[in-house]
């Protein structure tokens, strides 16, 4: 795999000795096969020494502010994982996994024994068993590692599914519902929403900006992403408020088993005094999560409403059962003034 790239300088020296070219190349092929493990180790050391950061500063800045970078160190995760018996085989392996091109795309990841604080690093998604970094076409050339153009990055859902599509880990199984929805048709993938296209220099050796995927993976910690996740419509007829809720996500909503969406309807007097409040919770525990692109209508009894009253419908996101109400995030809101 990419031996010419790795050993080009050696072969070049041998060109003057035609009879020795094949011998030198064959010897280096055998050497490379033996050097796979040391080369992978060298790549981990390079990450630790800051070589990824120094060569790919733009991509690094995106990654270091992402939840992938904080997958292991996040306080919410650590608090939740401590409550799980045998967390190393049920949780940790997706929060500090070994490179999945080595352990197997689509297979349950394996927990690594070093650099766990780096969470889901660039090595997790791009490093192969030969020490090469895999990526989409037009990946920037570099002098530290070999590059391999891998078609899996053009349609990366199967790659993402290694951690986000394990049915035995329902907390992070968003891919299963995605594959059963209309969003999986055509060229739409997980990256379409969670890794939007951006134009930038890929590395310090790049001469011009090119299009690539942003390494931020915005999700349930992003207010902007949550506001795009669903829409509300509010209608009032004969003492009943009909709230139409539509999911705009490509997967089940909310996407995690600890997440809850609260649909709240409040009746307010003309001076703002609260007269009535009703709410319902949408969660895995209640077995009423929305499927991709699903539409639902919820009817609320507001028979006491009079002229001048305001009906307000709000969709609110609760990250975990322990998240205080003051930290819940408003996803959508609609109001209706009774004529």
């Amino acid at each position: 795999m990419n031996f010419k790239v790795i050993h080009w300088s050696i072969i070049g020296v041998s060109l003057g000795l035609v009879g020795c070219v094949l011998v030198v190349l064959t010897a280096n092929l055998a050497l490379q096969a033996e050097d796979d493990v040391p080369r992978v180790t060298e790549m981990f050391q390079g990450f630790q020494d800051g070589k990824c950061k120094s060569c790919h500063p733009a991509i690094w800045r995106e990654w270091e502010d992402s939840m992938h970078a904080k997958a292991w160190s996040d306080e919410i995760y650590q608090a939740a994982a401590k409550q799980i018996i045998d967390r190393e085989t049920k949780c940790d392996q997706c929060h500090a996994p070994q490179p999945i091109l080595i352990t197997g795309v689509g297979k349950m990841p394996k927990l690594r024994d070093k650099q766990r604080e780096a969470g889901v690093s660039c090595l997790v998604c791009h490093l192969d068993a030969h020490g090469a970094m895999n990526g989409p076409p037009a990946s920037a050339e570099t002098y530290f590692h070999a590059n391999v153009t891998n078609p899996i990055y053009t349609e990366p859902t199967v790659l993402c599914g290694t951690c986000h599509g394990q049915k035995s880990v329902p907390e992070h199984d968003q891919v299963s519902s995605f594959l059963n929805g209309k969003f999986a048709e055509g060229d739409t993938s997980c990256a379409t929403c969670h890794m939007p296209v951006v134009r930038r220099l890929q590395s310090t050796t790049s001469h011009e900006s090119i299009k690539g995927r942003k390494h931020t993976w915005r999700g349930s910690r992003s207010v902007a992403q949550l506001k795009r996740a669903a829409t509300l419509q509010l209608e009032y007829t004969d003492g009943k408020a009909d709230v139409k809720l539509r999911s705009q996500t490509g997967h089940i909503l909310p996407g995690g088993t600890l997440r809850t969406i609260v649909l709240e309807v409040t009746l307010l007097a003309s001076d703002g005094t609260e007269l009535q409040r009703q709410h319902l919770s949408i969660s895995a525990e209640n077995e009423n999560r929305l499927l991709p692109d699903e539409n639902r209508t919820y009817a609320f009894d507001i028979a006491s409403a009079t002229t001048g009253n305001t009906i307000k419908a709000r969709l609110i996101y609760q990250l975990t059962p322990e998240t205080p109400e003051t930290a819940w995030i408003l996803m959508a809101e609609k109001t209706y003034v009774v004529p």
Side-chain angles (χ1 to χ4, degrees), residues 1-310:
M1 176 177 284
N2 292 289
F3 299 116
K4 288 186 178 180
V5 177
I6 298 170
H7 298 290
W8 181 251
S9 59
I10 298 175
I11 298 172
V13 172
S14 304
L15 288 177
L17 303 173
V18 178
C20 298
V21 172
L22 294 178
V23 175
V24 173
L25 180 57
T26 302
N28 279 286
L29 286 172
L31 180 63
Q32 176 62 24
E34 296 174 358
D35 278 354
D36 285 350
V37 173
R39 181 59 183 155
V40 168
T41 301
E42 183 182 352
M43 291 296 290
F44 271 95
Q45 186 61 50
F47 177 90
Q48 189 71 37
D49 294 342
K51 290 188 177 181
C52 301
K53 180 179 182 178
S54 64
C55 288
H56 303 281
I59 297 175
W60 180 276
R61 286 193 297 270
E62 296 166 4
W63 170 79
E64 68 178 348
D65 288 332
S66 74
M67 287 310 303
H68 271 188
K70 301 176 178 67
W72 180 265
S73 60
D74 178 54
E75 293 180 359
I76 293 177
Y77 169 68
Q78 285 295 336
K82 288 177 181 178
Q83 302 176 40
I84 304 299
I85 299 175
D86 196 19
R87 57 176 285 181
E88 290 191 353
T89 60
K90 295 180 179 178
C91 304
D92 289 345
Q93 68 269 48
C94 277
H95 286 258
Q98 296 178 27
I100 60 179
L101 294 181
I102 297 177
T103 58
V105 174
K107 297 181 180 179
M108 179 66 74
K110 296 180 180 179
L111 177 64
R112 63 177 184 269
D113 58 5
K114 56 185 174 182
Q115 295 182 13
R116 291 182 181 178
E117 71 284 352
V120 182
S121 70
C122 43
L123 303 180
V124 170
C125 297
H126 294 279
L127 181 66
D128 68 23
H130 299 277
M133 294 296 278
N134 290 237
S139 292
E141 292 298 330
T142 180
Y143 301 106
F144 177 61
H145 59 73
N147 286 322
V148 175
T149 296
N150 192 326
I152 199 171
Y153 298 93
T154 303
E155 295 291 340
T157 296
V158 63
L159 188 70
C160 302
T162 303
C163 282
H164 293 277
Q166 296 291 345
K167 293 183 179 180
S168 61
V169 188
E171 168 57 27
H172 288 301
D173 182 16
Q174 294 85 23
V175 169
S176 294
S177 57
F178 171 78
L179 294 175
N180 289 324
K182 74 170 189 177
F183 290 97
E185 301 172 0
D187 58 358
T188 302
S189 70
C190 302
T192 304
C193 294
H194 296 282
M195 298 182 70
V197 174
V198 63
R199 183 178 290 274
R200 49 155 153 64
L201 293 173
Q202 281 199 318
S203 80
T204 53
T205 63
S206 301
H207 299 292
E208 61 180 354
S209 297
I210 64 172
K211 290 182 178 180
R213 291 287 182 180
K214 198 170 185 178
H215 286 54
T216 48
W217 304 282
R218 293 190 302 184
S220 59
R221 306 292 182 94
S222 166
V223 175
Q225 196 79 346
L226 289 175
K227 287 183 178 296
R228 288 193 290 267
T231 60
L232 281 181
Q233 289 183 320
L234 175 60
E235 298 177 357
Y236 178 73
T237 306
D238 298 330
K240 290 191 179 297
D242 288 334
V243 181
K244 296 181 179 180
L245 173 59
R246 178 182 180 182
S247 170
Q248 296 191 126
T249 61
H251 53 72
I252 200 165
L253 179 70
T257 58
L258 295 178
R259 291 31 168 152
T260 298
I261 292 177
V262 178
L263 179 57
E264 176 188 86
V265 174
T266 308
L267 177 65
L268 304 170
S270 56
D271 62 359
T273 302
E274 183 177 307
L275 302 174
Q276 183 181 346
R277 177 182 295 193
Q278 304 174 57
H279 73 272
L280 61 88
S281 297
I282 301 171
S283 65
E285 182 180 4
N286 292 332
E287 299 183 346
N288 61 346
R289 289 189 288 179
L290 282 81
L291 297 176
D293 200 39
E294 182 178 359
N295 289 280
R296 289 184 189 170
T297 299
Y298 297 93
F300 293 85
D301 185 1
I302 313 289
S304 60
T306 60
T307 299
N309 287 173
T310 297

